Amino acid sequence: MKPFAYHRADAADQAVKQAAHANARYLGGGTNLVDLMREGIEQPDVLVDITALPHEISRTSEGGLRIDGATRNTAVAANLEIRREFPLLSRAILAGASAQIRNMATVAGNLMQRTRCAYFYDQAAACNKRVPGSGCDAAGGFNRMHAILGASADCVATHPSDMCVALAALDATVHLCSEDGDRAVPLVEFHRLPGEHPERDTVLREGELITAVSIPAAPGHTRSSYRKVRDRASYAFALVSVAAVVGLSTDGTINHVRVAWGGVAHKPWRATRLEAELLGKPLTTDAIAQAIELELQAAVPLSDNAFKLPLLQRTTAAVLAELAGGAL
Ligand code: SF4
């Protein structure tokens, strides 16, 4: 591993100063970053350890929740308010990794984890994300786990997080700070589609630190769920996953709907066309099927992953039927 300087920060402004003007990375649980450093894919000159920064889950003045960036994934999944008000977030985190990894991994690190595309980790392979301009061996190679939505000719990788898919369905916001000040970015805009620059996973600017993620108060009378489909029962990344939040009026029509998909794109995929199609309609089997079909019109499967389309259709339909409370 390439030698690096190590700093430990006690506050966000101190961390930002320590990382400024250097090829620096912030170190949370290190469950992805340290692997990448061992493989020589990440080669920072400076590591700023941010595990001593605040790690609380607190109520916002608007009734939502604010989760500090250094909060461990286990603490989020086990938090009573999250389990009561945003159960899909707890379920997504518990579906995401082993207990040992959840105990180490932080919320900010979860947002920053990089694709698990095997070619990205293989220094002998061509990979535009690792070495811009070198090509993409996955496009014509083994791409069973790769994207069917939003990919580009330069990269067909998927984002690996479960937690972020739930946060996308919860309209979460990412809070950032840097020497230039603070800013907030909607989670659905935080991760990028690959385009011509797959080396950039997020809209994070040089030296910016994730200080927190906030979730607005859950709209009244909504139900939510997260379902992950994978090759084996545990310790596997999603083939597809579905996070959904649905509210029904007393007459049975949908007055709130958020659906996000994981395992299918370079970022958590908010199914906005599906949502627009369902809003104001009764949650029927036909309406669900039609809305899913509309969203999937943009899908472009690769040589090995056309199976994701029917899998995603069936999983989404099952989750929405579950949220209809047996009305279908
Ligand atoms: Fe690299 Fe993306 Fe291609 Fe994988 S899909 S080899 S990460 S460029």
Side-chain angles (χ1 to χ4, degrees):
M1 189 187 286
K2 186 184 138 192
F4 56 87
Y6 172 85
H7 301 302
R8 190 171 166 84
D10 296 319
D13 55 350
Q14 184 190 12
V16 164
K17 278 199 187 84
Q18 287 169 334
H21 317 299
N23 172 27
R25 298 286 183 280
Y26 296 111
L27 176 69
T31 55
N32 188 211
L33 177 59
V34 173
D35 285 347
L36 292 165
M37 289 172 65
R38 283 202 192 103
E39 298 291 336
I41 297 163
E42 292 278 3
Q43 299 192 358
D45 296 319
V46 176
L47 269 193
V48 179
D49 187 333
I50 53 167
T51 52
L53 264 55
H55 46 275
E56 302 297 326
I57 299 172
S58 52
R59 186 67 62 186
T60 65
S61 52
E62 295 85 25
L65 288 178
R66 177 187 164 98
I67 307 168
D68 287 332
T71 312
R72 305 284 180 178
N73 284 190
T74 295
V76 180
N79 180 274
L80 280 180
E81 286 160 310
I82 287 175
R83 288 173 60 188
R84 196 164 44 228
E85 296 168 38
F86 310 108
L88 78 166
L89 179 56
S90 183
R91 284 174 74 165
I93 292 171
L94 292 174
S98 68
Q100 291 90 339
I101 289 175
R102 289 196 299 270
N103 288 343
M104 288 296 293
T106 63
V107 165
N110 197 318
L111 263 67
M112 292 301 294
Q113 64 178 305
R114 307 206 69 187
T115 184
R116 287 342 192 252
C117 172
Y119 300 101
F120 176 63
Y121 288 79
D122 178 358
Q123 295 276 16
C127 172
N128 288 321
K129 187 178 281 297
R130 179 167 32 77
V131 181
S134 63
C136 171
D137 274 352
F142 182 72
N143 49 41
R144 183 172 172 273
M145 298 296 290
H146 289 69
I148 57 171
L149 286 160
S152 71
D154 288 343
C155 181
V156 292
T158 53
H159 192 264
S161 172
D162 290 284
M163 184 191 83
C164 293
V165 181
L167 289 174
L170 289 169
D171 291 325
T173 299
V174 185
H175 300 269
L176 307 168
C177 81
S178 71
E179 287 199 310
D180 296 331
D182 299 344
R183 68 180 179 124
V185 179
L187 183 118
V188 290
E189 294 170 19
F190 179 76
H191 297 100
R192 295 179 67 255
L193 290 177
E196 294 180 355
H197 291 285
E199 72 279 9
R200 286 166 35 208
D201 293 343
T202 71
V203 298
L204 211 59
R205 296 173 189 153
E206 196 69 34
E208 263 185 329
L209 172 70
I210 299 170
T211 51
V213 172
S214 62
I215 308 170
H221 308 297
T222 53
R223 302 179 70 192
S224 68
S225 188
Y226 182 77
R227 193 174 296 191
K228 175 179 183 177
V229 183
R230 48 191 157 177
D231 281 327
R232 54 178 193 264
S234 65
Y235 309 159
F237 292 97
L239 295 168
V240 303
S241 69
V242 178
V245 183
V246 171
L248 294 177
S249 304
T250 46
D251 65 358
T253 56
I254 302 162
N255 58 26
H256 180 89
V257 55
R258 300 283 186 275
V259 175
W261 288 337
V264 295
H266 198 258
K267 59 186 285 186
W269 186 269
R270 259 291 288 276
T272 49
R273 284 205 235 173
L274 177 156
E275 292 171 3
E277 179 69 13
L278 283 180
L279 195 65
K281 292 189 176 153
L283 194 56
T284 63
T285 306
D286 284 350
I288 291 170
Q290 201 175 330
I292 295 169
E293 200 179 313
L294 192 69
E295 186 71 40
L296 284 177
Q297 278 177 1
V300 181
L302 302 165
S303 53
D304 296 336
N305 69 4
F307 73 94
K308 285 193 177 188
L309 275 90
L311 185 60
L312 189 56
Q313 269 167 335
R314 290 197 301 271
T315 309
T316 307
V319 166
L320 291 174
E322 173 195 336
L323 295 178
L328 300 187

